[in-house]
Amino acid sequence: MFGASNFPLAFSVAGGDTASAFAAGCPVVVKGHGAHPGTSELVGRAVQAAVASCGLPEGVFSLLFGTGNEIGTALVADPRIKAVGFTGSRGGGLALMGVAAKRPEPIPVYAEMSSINPVFLMPAALASRAEALGKAFVASLTMGAGQFCTNPGILLAVDGPDLDRFVDAAVEAIGGSAASTMLTPGIHAAFDSGVTKLAGSGAVTTLARGLACSGPNQAQAAFFTTTAEAFLADTELQEEVFGAASLLIRCADVAAMTAVAERLEGQLTATLQMDGEDKAAVAGLIPTLERKAGRILANGWPTGVEVCHAMVHGGPFPATSDPRSTSVGTLAIRRFLRPVCYQDIPAELLPEALRDGNPQGIWRRVDGELGHD
Amino acid sequence: MFGASNFPLAFSVAGGDTASAFAAGCPVVVKGHGAHPGTSELVGRAVQAAVASCGLPEGVFSLLFGTGNEIGTALVADPRIKAVGFTGSRGGGLALMGVAAKRPEPIPVYAEMSSINPVFLMPAALASRAEALGKAFVASLTMGAGQFCTNPGILLAVDGPDLDRFVDAAVEAIGGSAASTMLTPGIHAAFDSGVTKLAGSGAVTTLARGLACSGPNQAQAAFFTTTAEAFLADTELQEEVFGAASLLIRCADVAAMTAVAERLEGQLTATLQMDGEDKAAVAGLIPTLERKAGRILANGWPTGVEVCHAMVHGGPFPATSDPRSTSVGTLAIRRFLRPVCYQDIPAELLPEALRDGNPQGIWRRVDGELGHD
């Protein structure tokens, strides 16, 4: 497991990846992230103490530190490692996927890498609540200096006066947003570089920047706009800028919004801001969104991720390396399980879960029927 | 989908791979196997007629023919293809995995490739029914000229007089087994080459060959033996010889059988021939077999594969490229599904399966509880 920079607890040493692998019965080796070595060590020692107090073998859990890619590459290449969990950059994830694919025994890599989380501002919703949507968008965009995998990195809407009202409200909110210190100097440098690249694109207009920075590694929120035609003509405009930067794509009509959606790469989320009168248009959009995203949400913002049964924090490449999986929620355990069939094995040699009489009282499928038999 | 040479119906144009992809809602492109072009065309035309009579779009199903790897490679590289099913050789499967991993958008490859399906002859079972086991083994080995993925390619047993009785019975049965015509000249040539290599190994003794061949592409069954030490010293002895060839590994004791099991590559199946008194020894072996095989069976032979809910026709690499899956049974559909989360989507825009009141009457998990609500 590779700890993520931006969630020192939820996606790091004892985060969801580690928890789901433990739940599946796997020993775990964590490569701590350089952004929070102290927190990693504190949490690692807590896990170590729990392993001891449960009487488990020490090898059930290890925590390694190191800069550069050397340790991570060696871990993924090690024949004793059977699966990899990773949350981080597209480059980092692709590198680990390459190492895993080249092993004599290839293994699954669950890398959550890159997502710009499109938000569709549907016409009726814009007409009825453009200003409120503008403010709520900026709150989601700037939360935690925008350092969330599910940050709303692009907006799609039909051009016109309702969208202008949204833009005015968003520009005002961003203009008043304080600069925030980012997690690491590297993340800050990448944000500045991404924002500079967008601002310098001939097809992109800068709508607003946040308040000026006053300290090291601080970032100013950034809000840009372009047209659907320009966005479709330049695939680089789809690149994630990790942090509080977002690009509004002005479309001629809902059909153009759908055309842009069709050309998007895989996403963790797709968000619909919609009112009742938008339903017909949204019905035409949903089949596309189902193929592009792991989670489709209406009238919320993607930055909230609940740990629950229904959550899918995953999605088609490059959102993740494996769209069959989620790294959040109960389905996350499936990443570390594989099926085994027991045929005519004597009862006392079966796993308890499969024995006659169902001693664990679990849900099971017997002769095709789900039940407690 | 790549048709397999050895199952013109079950693993070809309209086989389990195609059926599970259709069930998951995927259009399917089949690359027919050169071993049975006529059967492929007949079945393909039947599917085409079914597509028409169901009023589905023509593109739901395509069937392509061609020799060499060109068409297959182009299909796997095509951005419109999102997953691959394959049953065939290790070389073929590895090549497709390589193509898929190098795509700009990598995709899952479900390749069933190579398995030698170890059979463990436990001491009490050998003591009580060595002769019957010897005959039953040969029946499984020679069925269909041994051209099954689940053919029993190695046997493990403790050396001694009980094993000698098993060997005598097996040698007699093999010596009387008729030569059988193999599926293709290529498969026949590979079988002959594999058998010649085993026979020529200094560490391997030939125990028996079947009756002499009388026609083209006919194969003589072959039965070899070696020691646990020699087997562990030469990884080439683990290579699958597709056809009716099997290697008996004589072990000093059950611990040596377990040591060999630990060093086996991933397998589709592991078979235990055991009696009541073998249970303690088998209990020590099962944790190893669970990590090595997709299906563990007792007192049967691996060559029978039932299409049912509990079947796992899969296993760790190189048995398959993806040990999380099965290509037979109802779980096979999972290869072609991915989860999507719908958050606060208006009821009439939800898939019917997720709507309030459960209009389809399916099993669902609501607030964590399975039920029909």
Side-chain angles (χ1 to χ4, degrees):
Chain A
M1 299 304 167
F2 289 81
S5 65
N6 58 342
F7 280 89
L9 298 172
F11 284 94
S12 189
V13 178
D17 285 342
T18 299
S20 50
F22 275 157
C26 302
V28 174
V29 181
V30 175
K31 161 72 171 63
H33 196 284
H36 49 265
T39 306
S40 293
E41 186 180 342
L42 284 171
V43 175
R45 289 197 186 280
V47 177
Q48 195 177 37
V51 165
S53 77
C54 293
L56 294 170
E58 269 191 86
V60 155
F61 175 78
S62 312
L63 172 59
L64 303 180
F65 293 95
T67 53
N69 304 325
E70 209 174 333
I71 288 178
T73 302
L75 283 171
V76 175
D78 191 295
R80 293 165 295 184
I81 297 292
K82 299 297 182 189
V84 178
F86 170 87
T87 301
S89 70
R90 186 164 175 169
L94 286 172
L96 297 182
M97 289 168 70
V99 173
K102 283 192 199 86
R103 290 166 48 121
E105 179 199 0
I107 52 171
V109 173
Y110 300 102
E112 192 228 292
M113 294 182 285
S114 177
S115 185
I116 53 175
N117 304 296
V119 177
F120 297 82
L121 306 168
M122 301 306 291
L126 267 189
S128 72
R129 47 194 169 97
E131 291 82 2
L133 285 172
K135 283 180 202 165
F137 156 64
V138 175
S140 174
L141 177 70
T142 56
M143 182 165 60
Q147 296 163 111
F148 293 100
C149 322
T150 50
N151 197 253
I154 62 167
L155 303 165
L156 295 94
V158 176
D159 210 358
D162 293 332
L163 181 59
D164 292 340
R165 289 191 292 126
F166 171 90
V167 168
D168 289 346
V171 164
E172 186 184 336
I174 285 184
S177 70
S180 324
T181 305
M182 297 196 81
L183 288 157
T184 69
I187 289 173
H188 176 254
F191 175 77
D192 267 0
S193 151
V195 164
T196 303
K197 191 172 164 188
L198 273 177
S201 163
V204 170
T205 305
T206 302
L207 291 170
R209 294 298 306 265
L211 293 170
C213 306
S214 59
N217 300 324
Q218 285 198 341
Q220 278 177 284
F223 186 29
F224 302 101
T225 191
T226 190
T227 63
E229 295 71 23
F231 184 80
L232 292 178
D234 183 358
T235 54
E236 291 194 358
L237 295 181
Q238 284 202 41
E239 285 172 12
E240 181 184 23
V241 177
F242 189 70
S246 195
L247 175 62
L248 168 65
I249 303 168
R250 292 177 186 269
C251 302
D253 48 29
V254 170
M257 291 170 70
T258 308
V260 171
E262 275 293 340
R263 296 276 292 278
L264 291 174
E265 294 190 299
Q267 305 291 338
L268 293 171
T269 67
T271 300
L272 297 153
Q273 297 294 346
M274 59 178 289
D275 277 6
E277 307 93 273
D278 291 315
K279 278 180 190 166
V282 166
L285 198 49
I286 280 187
T288 299
L289 304 187
E290 286 168 336
R291 283 181 289 107
K292 295 290 179 182
R295 179 164 58 111
I296 306 170
L297 61 152
N299 297 326
W301 296 94
T303 29
V305 179
E306 184 181 352
V307 180
C308 63
H309 292 286
M311 179 51 60
V312 177
H313 190 66
F317 184 89
T320 76
S321 56
D322 193 323
R324 297 162 291 181
S325 65
T326 172
S327 59
V328 176
T330 47
L331 286 178
I333 192 177
R334 291 217 184 147
R335 298 177 294 171
F336 308 111
L337 294 173
R338 43 171 280 269
V340 176
C341 170
Y342 298 80
Q343 179 179 326
D344 293 332
I345 303 292
E348 54 272 57
L349 294 174
L350 284 173
E352 204 176 41
L354 298 182
R355 290 192 194 166
D356 287 346
N358 193 7
Q360 295 183 336
I362 58 172
W363 282 99
R364 316 193 299 182
R365 190 180 298 278
V366 177
D367 295 338
E369 295 296 323
L370 268 179
H372 280 96
D373 296 337
Chain B
M1 298 305 167
F2 289 82
S5 65
N6 58 342
F7 279 90
L9 298 173
F11 284 95
S12 189
V13 178
D17 285 342
T18 299
S20 50
F22 275 157
C26 302
V28 174
V29 181
V30 175
K31 161 72 171 64
H33 196 283
H36 49 265
T39 306
S40 294
E41 186 181 340
L42 285 171
V43 176
R45 289 198 187 280
V47 177
Q48 196 177 36
V51 165
S53 78
C54 292
L56 294 171
E58 269 192 85
V60 155
F61 175 77
S62 313
L63 172 58
L64 304 180
F65 293 95
T67 53
N69 304 324
E70 209 174 332
I71 289 177
T73 302
L75 283 171
V76 176
D78 191 295
R80 292 165 295 183
I81 297 290
K82 299 298 183 189
V84 178
F86 169 88
T87 301
S89 71
R90 185 163 177 171
L94 286 173
L96 297 182
M97 289 167 69
V99 173
K102 284 192 198 85
R103 289 166 49 119
E105 178 198 2
I107 52 171
V109 173
Y110 301 102
E112 192 228 293
M113 296 183 284
S114 177
S115 184
I116 52 176
N117 303 297
V119 176
F120 297 82
L121 305 168
M122 301 306 291
L126 267 189
S128 72
R129 47 193 168 99
E131 291 82 2
L133 285 172
K135 284 179 201 166
F137 155 65
V138 174
S140 173
L141 176 70
T142 57
M143 183 166 57
Q147 297 164 109
F148 293 100
C149 322
T150 50
N151 197 250
I154 62 167
L155 304 165
L156 295 92
V158 176
D159 210 356
D162 292 332
L163 181 58
D164 292 339
R165 288 190 292 126
F166 170 91
V167 168
D168 289 346
V171 163
E172 187 185 335
I174 286 183
S177 69
S180 325
T181 305
M182 297 195 82
L183 289 158
T184 69
I187 289 173
H188 176 253
F191 175 77
D192 268 1
S193 151
V195 164
T196 303
K197 190 172 166 188
L198 273 176
S201 162
V204 170
T205 305
T206 302
L207 291 170
R209 294 298 304 267
L211 293 171
C213 307
S214 58
N217 300 323
Q218 285 199 339
Q220 278 178 284
F223 187 29
F224 301 101
T225 191
T226 190
T227 63
E229 295 72 23
F231 184 81
L232 292 178
D234 183 358
T235 54
E236 292 194 359
L237 296 181
Q238 285 203 39
E239 286 172 12
E240 182 184 23
V241 177
F242 189 70
S246 195
L247 176 61
L248 167 66
I249 303 167
R250 293 179 184 268
C251 303
D253 48 28
V254 170
M257 291 171 70
T258 307
V260 171
E262 276 292 340
R263 296 276 291 279
L264 290 175
E265 294 190 299
Q267 305 291 336
L268 293 171
T269 68
T271 301
L272 297 153
Q273 297 295 347
M274 58 177 291
D275 278 5
E277 306 91 274
D278 291 316
K279 279 181 188 164
V282 166
L285 198 49
I286 280 188
T288 299
L289 303 186
E290 287 168 335
R291 283 181 289 108
K292 295 290 179 183
R295 180 164 59 111
I296 307 170
L297 60 153
N299 296 327
W301 297 93
T303 30
V305 179
E306 185 182 352
V307 180
C308 63
H309 292 287
M311 180 51 60
V312 177
H313 189 67
F317 185 90
T320 76
S321 56
D322 193 322
R324 297 162 291 182
S325 65
T326 172
S327 59
V328 176
T330 47
L331 285 179
I333 192 176
R334 290 217 185 147
R335 297 176 296 169
F336 307 111
L337 294 173
R338 42 171 281 268
V340 176
C341 170
Y342 298 79
Q343 179 179 326
D344 293 332
I345 303 292
E348 53 273 55
L349 294 175
L350 284 174
E352 204 176 40
L354 297 183
R355 289 190 195 167
D356 287 346
N358 193 8
Q360 295 185 336
I362 58 173
W363 281 98
R364 315 196 298 183
R365 190 179 297 279
V366 177
D367 295 337
E369 293 296 325
L370 267 179
H372 280 95
D373 296 338

